[in-house]
Amino acid sequence: MELIPAIDLLDGRCVRLMHGDFNEVTYYDTPPERLAGTYRDHGAEWLHVVDLEASRDGEAADTSQLFKLLGSASQSVQTGGGVRSGGDIRARLDAGAARVVIGSLCALDTPRFLRWVREYDSERIVAAVDVALDADNLPWPRVRGWTEEAGMDLWTLMDRLVEGGLRHALITDIGRDGALKGPNRPLYQEILARYPDLQLQASGGVSRVDDLVSLQEDGASATIVGKALLEGAFSVSQALDALK
């Protein structure tokens, strides 16, 4: 399983949002380029970068920090946030991104998203699906910064995406994101049981190395880790040693 450290960018700085709320922002002092370098020096071969400003502000956003990081990072980078067109995808790939992560549009305009999967290669496009669980633990995708329901449950959406050629999916349990409560293993286990060929990236809740080992045992291809690394719950090197 691949460990993928996350860097969320806002106003040129590294941040974390609690449950995706822009009113609940924690800023970190380490510059993004230095943090990326530290993760690489400790053995991380991938980096997950989200441009929160682009996600929030669209074309009005200052994306210079994102493209600066894409040009300087020595590891492979997958990046999302504010990707709304084929031009956005092409610009990020041309700037050095190995994969582009697309969120709301994979649910709101699935045919368009699947055209991008075919056009840019299924190895270079990731569907990011953020879900909230109802009282019966049925996962429902949420879109537009988690403010709206997508209008279908996760299984309906994933059936369409996988049938259309999707290979990489990043699934986040909103209730776990940034909360260090542990990952939602039953959710990921069910996803992998339904779609055994899917390259699943688990996101949300990782707080200790044992969480990573459990996700590896469940069959996840990668785990995105943000807050736990930023706040020193464990280091990249400790995590990689445990995953060997």
Side-chain angles (χ1 to χ4, degrees):
M1 185 182 76
E2 197 79 52
L3 173 73
I4 307 184
I7 295 179
D8 290 355
L9 299 174
L10 184 64
D11 303 323
R13 299 175 62 184
C14 296
V15 305
R16 290 297 294 172
L17 305 183
M18 176 60 77
H19 301 315
D21 187 348
F22 281 93
N23 295 315
E24 295 287 340
V25 184
T26 300
Y27 290 91
Y28 296 90
D29 292 333
T30 306
E33 294 86 359
R34 186 188 304 169
L35 186 60
T38 298
Y39 289 153
R40 182 65 183 90
D41 291 344
H42 288 178
E45 297 180 356
W46 278 87
L47 191 66
H48 178 75
V49 180
V50 179
D51 191 332
L52 292 171
E53 192 168 345
S55 179
R56 181 189 63 190
D57 300 337
E59 293 182 359
D62 179 2
T63 58
S64 58
Q65 181 61 61
L66 168 64
F67 285 92
K68 180 180 179 182
L69 188 56
L70 288 175
S72 64
S74 57
Q75 62 268 70
S76 298
V77 180
Q78 64 176 34
T79 182
V83 178
R84 297 177 172 87
S85 69
D88 291 334
I89 298 171
R90 176 50 58 196
R92 285 156 175 75
L93 292 176
D94 288 347
R99 293 195 291 244
V100 176
V101 181
I102 300 167
S104 295
L105 276 173
C106 73
L108 294 175
D109 193 346
T110 302
R112 184 182 180 194
F113 171 81
L114 291 174
R115 286 198 298 271
W116 289 339
V117 170
R118 294 188 293 270
E119 180 178 355
Y120 296 101
D121 191 331
S122 62
E123 286 297 331
R124 308 198 76 181
I125 300 295
V126 181
V129 185
D130 304 323
V131 300
L133 304 183
D134 65 16
D136 297 318
N137 281 327
L138 182 64
W140 293 86
R142 301 202 49 101
V143 296
R144 297 194 170 102
W146 302 352
T147 62
E148 300 177 16
E149 291 186 354
M152 69 189 85
D153 63 48
L154 176 64
W155 313 126
T156 300
L157 175 60
M158 291 303 299
D159 285 348
R160 295 174 182 176
L161 293 176
V162 171
E163 184 179 349
L166 178 71
R167 180 166 172 75
H168 295 275
L170 193 170
I171 311 293
T172 302
D173 178 346
I174 292 171
R176 309 279 180 127
D177 186 72
L180 300 178
K181 293 180 178 179
N184 188 340
R185 292 183 64 194
L187 172 65
Y188 299 129
Q189 290 167 354
E190 184 166 1
I191 291 170
L192 289 166
R194 288 173 179 256
Y195 314 105
D197 295 328
L198 186 69
Q199 298 295 296
L200 172 66
Q201 300 180 15
S203 174
V206 169
S207 62
R208 55 194 183 127
V209 169
D210 286 351
D211 291 333
L212 298 173
V213 175
S214 295
L215 289 168
Q216 179 173 252
E217 292 172 350
D218 291 339
S221 297
T223 299
I224 311 297
V225 183
K227 189 173 183 179
L229 292 173
L230 287 167
E231 301 201 347
F234 54 83
S235 68
V236 168
S237 55
Q238 289 172 327
L240 294 177
D241 285 343
L243 291 173
K244 287 180 181 177

